[in-house]
Amino acid sequence: MPHQSLILKDNLLTTGGDDPLLPQLIHAINHATEIEIAVSFIQPSGLDLLLPSIYEAIERGVLHQRPLKLRILTSDYLHITHPIALRSLVELEGEGVEVRIFEAQNRSFHLKSYIFVRSDEAKSYFQGTAFVGSNNISKSALTDAHEWCLRLDYQKPEDSAQARQFQSIRNEFDKLFHHSSATPLNDDWIDAYIKRRKPPKLSAVVDSSLLDDDEYSPNSAQLEALSALNATREQGNVRGLVVMGTGMGKTWLSAFDAKQLNAKRILFVAHREEILTQALNTFAKLRPEKSAGYYHGKSKDKSKEMLFASVQSLGKEQHLKNFTPDYFDYIVVDEFHHASAKTYLNILNYFDPRFLLGLTATPERTDQANILSLCHDNLVFERNLVHGIDSEILTPFHYYGIWDDSVNYQEIPWRNGKFDPAALDAQFATSQRAKHVFKHWHERQQSRTLAFCVSKKHADFMAKQFNKTFETQGLKALSVHSDSSVRRNEALTQLDKGEVQVLFSVDLFNEGTDLPSIDTVLMLRPTESNIIFLQQLGRGFADTTIKVTSLCSTS
């Protein structure tokens, strides 16, 4: 919509420290139709802060049939740009996405510019803003370092001084992007860069924001699991199931295990693209020397050394035939409680790797399917939420069961193994029930709440009722789902900053999503599946510095 501005604040100068650039960049990404970024250096710590917004912007463009135009230019100057970040950038997907690397060849390359445009195809409106300053893409530079950045906004008419200056910035970016030294980024280039890269030591860099010094190491539960996995392979087992509670680091465990096995070709299978994206970024952090790509509806990167595949695509016979049964020596099947479905079975029955690892937080299935047998009855390691809390990997929580006195569940029709959705909406989206929920929420809530609803309509209703009820207290809620106007990452940022207190959602945050800022989980739906219940309940367990209060409205 044209009235949604790219600009978050009036002041043209951002100084860092208490005035970070990151919120302004995320806001602009969330509302731009064109993005042009040119920075000297990119570190994983900074890119990780921007990627969720970028992914969502790309998805949004596909949904609205107007692809996001995204151009990113970085450099190999001083070998500071990290290969891990480059692996993530090279896998950005979209017909309007281009990433290039400027080969400095002993010349300085010190650009730090972020350009955003918002318009429609008919050009009935046009907004533009450009940030030019000292901020590279690292966590420190975008958050707490003292970095000055000046913003220039496009202003009508087209021949105004502001408009001409804005267009001049874009023209200069375009010249650099098409410079003879700017080459398209690909895996071959990254492979060669890794071999010749000699980054300066952190102690020799005056500006500590230029380099990441984070090392990735397993937590206590992962160390135990890694030892158990080694032991089971020594016993001759070629398959095994690991059960770890939500938030304990299953994906990281699989990446650590693939590394300790020195796996050459890795396949990671899941049923949702968000999980595949998170997994690719995790594996790339530990194995930046390996190429990584996707195999799903939009992409078929068959040649990649680490392949992240959707079960819906790979599970079809015509796609399985693209690989020999022993093509991958290490296979991970995430959310293994789904593995008895036909598409999963096609994959499990076709491939013959050195080792196959099944991962799940919730091994029990409502249909009583025996998923352990699919791993040759080999339960390698199991740690539940209680173990995670005792090990201080997960936060302790209080659970409150609230009597749902406004709903008679016996009157709601039961069809196809679940409550009738329309009847649930009618019973749940009422002022009486909302008042009852808010009373108990107000007594036991902390500061950041994620609430699960039965439908989009129910989520919208609850957010509206909440804002009406607590308006005088300055409390605010948002409804977040696939059709909501607010972006998912934008809503989480507002929640984290305390600008809103509650997010009402349906299933956007079920699987593969760690939300460390959440300290209250509100269950406003009947959940027939223990799996979904535990996944939703565990969304906020990953931060051990807070106490989670979980409220459940039930009969």
Side-chain angles (χ1 to χ4, degrees):
M1 298 181 185
H3 67 273
Q4 291 178 316
S5 175
L6 294 168
I7 302 167
L8 190 60
K9 68 171 193 173
D10 293 332
N11 196 336
L12 298 177
L13 178 65
T14 300
T15 60
D18 294 333
D19 181 27
L21 181 62
L22 179 64
Q24 295 191 73
L25 294 184
I26 290 178
H27 178 84
I29 292 170
N30 283 333
H31 299 287
T33 54
E34 298 179 53
I35 302 171
E36 296 165 340
I37 297 174
V39 290
S40 309
F41 317 123
I42 302 181
Q43 294 297 312
S45 64
L47 188 60
D48 285 348
L49 298 175
L50 297 177
L51 279 177
S53 305
I54 292 173
Y55 290 143
E56 198 167 347
I58 293 172
E59 292 171 11
R60 192 164 55 250
V62 173
L63 183 64
H64 295 154
Q65 298 184 334
R66 191 187 176 198
L68 174 75
K69 294 181 180 179
L70 171 64
R71 296 195 293 175
I72 299 176
L73 177 66
T74 189
S75 80
D76 63 356
Y77 180 54
L78 297 180
H79 292 176
I80 290 177
T81 292
H82 204 294
I84 290 175
L86 296 179
R87 290 294 188 197
S88 295
L89 288 173
V90 81
E91 289 309 320
L92 286 176
E93 297 179 307
E95 61 180 85
V97 176
E98 294 182 81
V99 182
R100 296 192 178 189
I101 192 93
F102 193 95
E103 297 176 330
Q105 299 172 348
N106 298 320
R107 290 172 296 174
S108 295
F109 189 89
H110 274 296
L111 276 77
K112 293 96 176 176
S113 64
Y114 304 82
I115 306 166
F116 303 94
V117 168
R118 180 175 179 80
S119 66
D120 60 5
E121 291 180 300
K123 302 294 182 184
S124 62
Y125 64 91
F126 185 95
Q127 299 175 20
T129 191
F131 298 87
V132 181
S134 65
N135 308 74
N136 281 296
I137 297 182
S138 71
K139 182 178 180 180
S140 177
L142 296 180
T143 57
D144 54 12
H146 292 287
E147 306 272 3
W148 280 29
C149 189
L150 193 63
R151 191 185 79 233
L152 183 133
D153 301 324
Y154 172 91
Q155 291 183 5
K156 293 180 179 180
E158 290 184 5
D159 60 353
S160 71
Q162 291 283 101
R164 291 199 305 269
Q165 186 61 66
F166 180 76
Q167 191 56 50
S168 175
I169 293 173
R170 294 198 75 188
N171 289 341
E172 291 302 320
F173 172 88
D174 195 67
K175 287 179 185 178
L176 272 178
F177 197 77
H178 292 99
H179 193 279
S180 59
S181 295
T183 185
L185 184 65
N186 56 47
D187 284 313
D188 290 340
W189 192 95
I190 300 173
D191 291 342
Y193 177 60
I194 290 173
K195 292 177 182 178
R196 63 182 170 86
R197 182 176 183 245
K198 295 179 180 178
K201 295 184 183 300
L202 188 62
S203 59
V205 179
V206 175
D207 182 359
S208 62
S209 72
L210 298 182
L211 289 172
D212 285 356
D213 61 349
D214 293 337
E215 292 187 7
Y216 306 106
S217 56
N219 62 36
S220 58
Q222 290 165 346
L223 283 171
E224 290 184 70
L226 290 170
S227 177
L229 284 163
N230 264 339
T232 199
R233 284 190 287 264
E234 289 173 0
Q235 295 166 10
N237 293 305
V238 295
R239 290 190 179 189
L241 179 67
V242 168
V243 179
M244 292 179 73
T246 299
M248 294 181 69
K250 295 183 296 298
T251 304
W252 275 103
L253 168 65
S254 64
F256 286 126
D257 191 45
K259 186 174 183 178
Q260 78 170 357
L261 189 61
N262 194 26
K264 300 295 187 290
R265 289 194 173 273
I266 299 165
L267 173 65
F268 188 103
V269 180
H271 71 297
R272 292 180 63 171
E273 289 189 15
E274 305 96 288
I275 297 176
L276 297 177
T277 299
Q278 290 179 3
L280 185 148
N281 288 329
T282 298
F283 274 74
K285 285 180 171 65
L286 281 185
R287 309 290 294 276
E289 75 281 1
K290 287 193 170 295
S291 61
Y294 297 108
Y295 198 100
H296 51 44
K298 295 177 288 186
S299 179
K300 305 287 190 300
D301 292 329
K302 292 183 290 185
S303 63
K304 304 292 185 176
E305 295 168 292
M306 300 190 297
L307 195 59
F308 299 81
S310 74
V311 66
Q312 296 90 337
S313 294
L314 187 60
K316 296 176 181 177
E317 184 177 354
Q318 65 267 33
H319 293 301
L320 288 170
K321 288 181 178 179
N322 289 325
F323 307 91
T324 59
D326 62 352
Y327 184 82
F328 300 102
D329 52 351
Y330 189 86
I331 294 179
V332 183
V333 181
D334 198 21
E335 306 293 349
F336 201 77
H337 48 271
H338 296 297
S340 60
K342 184 177 185 300
T343 47
Y344 281 88
L345 290 175
N346 290 344
I347 295 170
L348 294 172
N349 293 332
Y350 181 80
F351 286 111
D352 184 25
R354 285 172 59 196
F355 192 75
L356 185 146
L357 174 63
L359 294 175
T360 183
T362 47
E364 299 85 5
R365 282 184 59 93
T366 52
D367 60 8
Q368 302 302 311
N370 183 10
I371 64 167
L372 186 58
S373 66
L374 302 176
C375 279
H376 299 172
D377 293 311
N378 182 24
L379 179 59
V380 179
F381 186 79
E382 182 174 13
R383 291 292 184 272
N384 57 28
L385 295 178
V386 175
H387 293 120
I389 293 169
D390 289 343
S391 303
E392 297 184 348
I393 298 170
L394 304 178
T395 181
F397 65 96
H398 295 288
Y399 183 88
Y400 302 94
I402 309 302
W403 177 254
D404 203 347
D405 60 1
S406 63
V407 176
N408 185 346
Y409 287 88
Q410 293 181 341
E411 295 179 353
I412 302 176
W414 183 265
R415 296 191 175 95
N416 299 319
K418 60 182 180 181
F419 289 110
D420 178 73
L424 270 181
D425 264 345
Q427 289 269 9
F428 278 35
T430 66
S431 298
Q432 181 183 355
R433 188 172 191 266
K435 184 178 179 180
H436 178 65
V437 168
F438 296 153
K439 173 181 177 292
H440 289 282
W441 173 84
H442 198 259
E443 291 174 356
R444 295 185 171 89
Q445 59 87 23
Q446 296 187 90
S447 58
R448 296 178 294 273
T449 298
L450 177 61
F452 289 99
C453 300
V454 298
S455 66
K456 298 173 184 178
K457 178 182 176 182
H458 183 215
D460 290 341
F461 174 84
M462 291 301 296
K464 182 178 179 180
Q465 289 294 311
F466 183 96
N467 291 330
K468 180 180 177 181
T469 301
F470 295 104
E471 181 179 11
T472 59
Q473 299 180 39
L475 303 180
K476 184 180 177 182
L478 293 172
S479 175
V480 187
H481 49 72
S482 58
D483 296 330
S484 58
S485 58
V486 65
R487 317 297 188 229
R488 179 175 50 199
N489 72 83
E490 199 171 22
L492 288 171
T493 298
Q494 291 184 46
L495 186 72
D496 190 45
K497 293 168 64 176
E499 295 172 358
V500 300
Q501 286 67 48
V502 183
L503 299 183
F504 291 97
S505 184
V506 185
D507 58 7
L508 275 183
F509 304 109
N510 277 15
E511 294 170 302
T513 308
D514 291 327
L515 309 170
S517 67
I518 301 297
D519 59 21
T520 306
V521 177
L522 183 59
M523 308 289 284
L524 301 179
R525 50 174 289 170
T527 307
E528 300 84 16
S529 166
N530 289 336
I531 294 171
I532 293 176
F533 180 81
L534 288 172
Q535 287 172 338
Q536 293 180 342
L537 191 66
R539 286 306 98 198
F541 288 171
D543 189 343
T544 57
T545 65
I546 61 175
K547 175 187 67 178
V548 172
T549 302
S550 296
L551 286 74
C552 179
S553 293
T554 183
S555 58

